[in-house]
Amino acid sequence: MKFKLNYIALSILLAAGTSCSKDFLDRRPRDLIIEDDAYGSQSGIEALTVKLYNDMLLEDFSYEVAEQAGYLSTVTDEAVRSYTWGAGVINGTVLGNWFGSWDYAKIRRVNSFIEKIPTSKVSDDLKARFLAEARYIRAFHYFQLVKRYGGVPLVTKTQEYAFGDDVAGLFVPRSKEDDIYAFIEKELTDIKDILPTTNIAVDQNRINRFTALALKSRAMLYAASIAKYGQVQIDGLVGIPKAKAEAYWRSSLAASQEIINEKQYSLYKGDIDKALNFQNLFLKENNSEVIFNKVYRTPEVGHSYDFFNAPQSFKVDYGCATSPTLDMVEEYEYVDGSSGELKYNDKSGNPIVYANPYDIFKDKDPRLLATIMLPFSAWQGGELEIRRGIVRNGQKVTAENLTTGYPETGSNFKIVGKDGPLTTADPTKTGFYVKKSMDPTKRVNDGESVAPYIVFRYGEILLNYAEAAFELGLNTDALKYVNEIRERAGIAPKSSINLEQIRHERKVELAFENHRLWDLRRWRTATSVLNNTQFHALYPWLVWEEGKDPSQMKYIFEKVNAPKNTRTFPEKLYYEPLPQGAEPYIQNPLY
């Protein structure tokens, strides 16, 4: 149903939700502190900011879509959901509200803090910093709203309601999408030089000047893309005029350039081994590349990413949630820069027989080895045994469980590897497991993971710069920063660049960091990339040789359709539907 007015009843919206994420730094909000007293000291104000930080939707390891352990990668071309329960929701008809986050109670808390901090009993310098942090958090909230809904009500003052008041006085019109991005841009520009350039140890994970620049780099890139590739609808409540694309790209470029020029951050290069280096980037807290991250401290605060994504034979309980697609694996080029398709068959079309099955991944981009667990790769002191079955005398023998022995039922050697793949039950559906940000040393129980979640890192800034530069016709600059990323990765540089190559580099560099879905949406390519697309799996088959120990036998590989994963992405999902029940308002297009 479409209503004739474009207003949101904030009296309803303010009650929409008060949930928050579990941690800011290693502390919990001090909910029992009396607010008026809190403004009387620096420690009291810091306690209040803990709640503001916790309110930020960082889309971290706890961010889920539709179902428990429904990670954002599993609704893109990066992965499919392994669990059969919930797969019908994620892979089925999209009705909207997948990625929604409409919670004005959080914005109200920030507005209240902004209004009260000038009267607090701390120094003017501290007032300025706390005020700048709060304005950043408010801008961050509005970025998360605008990238989901387009134009939303822009509320920058606290609203009070007394019994008997006219509720109509609380209605605030939806602003245009362009106006929300312009607000974010102005806020970040105004506060960036107020925030500290560096943080001392106790404040290491708080917002600083570069956090503001990083958000500006990302948000303005989104606005520019939407202006160029989207369309203006319902009088600008969604969409941005195409004429504004260039200005937004220049704004994004300038923010990225400022971070680059200051040289406070750099691509992480702490390990000689290229794969190990990229793996450790996501495990070593506050390394040279991290601009802003969310940290965890157990036993008080942890996350469950390892628990839900551990391979079948390495799991504590659940495990296996995310199955990276073969299509994603083949996005990673070979180190010489050649296309990344795996070598299954020889020139005659016959399967290539591998004495060492891991050799099918030889000379692939080291980032692949650090991002995705591959069949027969080492893990936590063991080996990932992924085998779909046996080939004996040209005939394939498989099973739908991990327990059937071969050649006899009770044999210790099993038809299917201890880590799958299977088309049913929990183990991988594609022959792969996710590796980025996973603990490589030990099994981790529910809620006990401590790998930091990186919100902004220098590698993204270089890619933001490259994309904006190319869109502005600065191809040489774009090529320079793409090659910096590739050099760190350990693959051949490019001699020229185009937009698809920049987008490809972004896809492989930022895989499983919750960027892909939003990139596909802002480029308006999700309908072609995701709609009714069949993703693929890799099946290793053991070539059975009578009288030999299975450990000495060879393997062939087969590319097959991944089971039950064809999904639907209608055009309407470029925006989320505004929440039902808060009226009157104009609903987003096609809902």
Side-chain angles (χ1 to χ4, degrees), residues 369-444:
L369 313 184
T371 302
I372 295 173
M373 295 187 207
L374 308 171
F376 309 103
S377 59
W379 185 247
Q380 293 181 350
E383 182 182 278
L384 209 62
E385 184 184 84
I386 294 179
R387 178 178 56 254
R388 189 66 185 100
I390 312 298
V391 176
R392 183 176 186 178
N393 298 325
Q395 299 298 312
K396 292 174 181 174
V397 181
T398 189
E400 277 305 328
N401 60 67
L402 306 177
T403 60
T404 302
Y406 195 84
E408 295 83 25
T409 300
S411 173
N412 289 330
F413 178 79
K414 309 303 179 185
I415 293 177
V416 178
K418 62 184 176 65
D419 296 298
L422 293 177
T423 60
T424 59
D426 288 351
T428 175
K429 301 298 176 290
T430 62
F432 306 100
Y433 293 94
V434 67
K435 184 175 184 180
K436 183 181 281 187
S437 299
M438 297 279 288
D439 191 320
T441 61
K442 63 182 184 298
R443 302 184 187 193
V444 185

Side-chain angles (χ1 to χ4, degrees), residues 317-334:
D317 187 356
Y318 277 60
C320 307
T322 305
S323 295
T325 63
L326 174 58
D327 313 75
M328 185 67 212
V329 169
E330 294 191 322
E331 286 290 318
Y332 290 87
E333 302 164 43
Y334 289 91

Side-chain angles (χ1 to χ4, degrees), residues 434-477:
V434 67
K435 184 175 184 180
K436 183 181 281 187
S437 299
M438 297 279 288
D439 191 320
T441 61
K442 63 182 184 298
R443 302 184 187 193
V444 185
N445 211 335
D446 190 17
E448 295 182 1
S449 292
V450 294
Y453 178 77
I454 300 176
V455 182
F456 296 107
R457 65 180 176 94
Y458 188 68
E460 181 204 344
I461 299 304
L462 296 185
L463 291 168
N464 291 351
Y465 184 100
E467 183 178 338
F470 185 86
E471 293 279 15
L472 291 167
L474 305 173
N475 296 19
T476 301
D477 290 345

